[in-house]
Amino acid sequence: MIRTILTLIPAILFLYPLCPILLIEAAVGHFNPKAMSSSSLKLVQGVFKIMLFTSGVKLTVLGREKVPEDRSVLYVANHRSYYDILIGYTLVKGECGFISKKEVNKIPFLGLWMKRLHCLFLDRDNPRQGLTTILTGIEQLKNGISMWIFPEGTRTPGDEMLPFKEGSLKLASKSNCPIVPVTFIDTEHILENHFPFIRRTKVTVIFGDPIETADMSREEKKTLAPLCQEIIRKTLEEQSSGSEKE
């Protein structure tokens, strides 16, 4: 319980008592939008790192050096926990927005912060709005802003994954940006497996080799969803077999 309270404190302070920072950020953004995006990202990353520390998350990161630094990428990951977002944001290179469900945008101040970080909100019940969201994400990728998606569409704790939704991979196929597969391992043990209590947990995040989409044929691009899912599935299996040997 103490760990849970300690983790909630920086989150609550960030969303409410520190919300005037949004006004300062807005003033900066009026003259220099890029500076506002950069400072917002650093602030959010700092808060998330504090939350990971108070949560007792011991993080092992493999393959992050593979992520290109000179262009935008589409991060494609499995989704086990709310903590995937906190961890993911501390590991991105450069500006990056997450695609989230529309309900998150209704949380006071959180939606504002997410918009500052180029996040987009997807209405899964409205195909037309969903297409608009994807098109906006494609433009952001073309403008050098990376995007992060969880193609399962929801959290699925454990090794089993739901089928990756093909529509979200159009972000890469239409922008011709590289795809970076990301595998989260054991994040569900932080919170979801014993909600509402937070437990000290060893977590591993593995970045795979970038998948270049620019030279792919139209037919090859249609297989991106199962290709990414298979890469992540194999990574999970390899890590599981490695743990058993130990």
Side-chain angles (χ1 to χ4, degrees):
M1 179 60 76
I2 293 178
R3 190 179 302 280
T4 304
I5 294 173
L6 289 175
T7 302
L8 286 174
I9 289 174
I12 294 172
L13 287 175
F14 174 61
L15 287 178
Y16 299 104
L18 296 182
C19 65
I21 295 177
L22 282 167
L23 298 177
I24 299 174
E25 293 283 307
V28 173
H30 180 73
F31 299 99
N32 192 333
K34 191 168 183 63
M36 179 191 71
S37 296
S38 179
S39 62
S40 294
L41 176 61
K42 290 179 180 178
L43 179 60
V44 169
Q45 286 177 327
V47 172
F48 284 177
K49 286 178 180 179
I50 292 172
M51 293 176 67
L52 293 175
F53 175 77
T54 56
S55 297
V57 175
K58 184 176 181 181
L59 189 60
T60 298
V61 181
L62 303 174
R64 185 172 178 268
E65 70 281 356
K66 300 176 182 178
V67 181
E69 299 187 14
D70 59 343
R71 49 187 170 155
S72 59
V73 304
L74 178 66
Y75 298 94
V76 176
N78 62 323
H79 197 15
R80 295 182 155 193
S81 169
Y82 288 118
Y83 272 81
D84 299 338
I85 300 170
L86 275 68
I87 295 170
Y89 249 125
T90 65
L91 299 177
V92 296
K93 293 184 177 181
E95 295 180 78
C96 180
F98 278 63
I99 292 188
S100 178
K101 57 185 179 181
K102 67 172 184 177
E103 290 77 10
V104 177
N105 191 31
K106 298 178 181 179
I107 300 175
F109 300 111
L110 179 59
L112 290 174
W113 276 111
M114 293 179 70
K115 289 177 181 177
R116 293 280 171 85
L117 298 174
H118 310 290
C119 292
L120 302 176
F121 302 94
L122 185 65
D123 185 348
R124 289 174 288 189
D125 298 322
N126 187 332
R128 178 174 294 182
Q129 191 277 335
L131 176 59
T132 300
T133 300
I134 295 298
L135 292 175
T136 303
I138 291 169
E139 286 304 307
Q140 290 190 170
L141 284 161
K142 289 181 177 179
N143 291 327
I145 299 168
S146 294
M147 297 299 298
W148 190 304
I149 60 172
F150 298 105
E152 292 169 275
T154 189
R155 290 170 292 117
T156 53
D159 291 339
E160 296 299 322
M161 288 185 286
L162 296 175
F164 280 18
K165 300 181 186 301
E166 295 182 6
S168 59
L169 272 297
K170 289 182 180 179
L171 288 162
S173 63
K174 297 297 184 181
S175 65
N176 290 326
C177 74
I179 295 172
V180 178
V182 185
T183 306
F184 285 98
I185 301 171
D186 292 335
T187 51
E188 71 273 21
H189 298 307
I190 306 172
L191 175 64
E192 276 72 9
N193 284 0
H194 32 71
F195 184 85
F197 302 106
I198 294 172
R199 302 285 187 243
R200 183 188 301 273
T201 306
K202 293 181 180 180
V203 169
T204 302
V205 181
I206 301 176
F207 290 82
D209 294 320
I211 302 170
E212 298 292 343
T213 64
D215 296 326
M216 281 186 169
S217 67
R218 181 177 296 180
E219 292 303 313
E220 288 175 322
K221 288 182 178 180
K222 290 180 180 178
T223 67
L224 285 172
L227 173 62
C228 292
Q229 185 158 22
E230 181 63 12
I231 290 171
I232 293 173
R233 184 188 66 78
K234 286 185 177 180
T235 304
L236 287 169
E237 288 183 352
E238 291 169 359
Q239 290 296 306
S240 178
S241 60
S243 299
E244 290 175 1
K245 290 178 182 179
E246 293 177 1

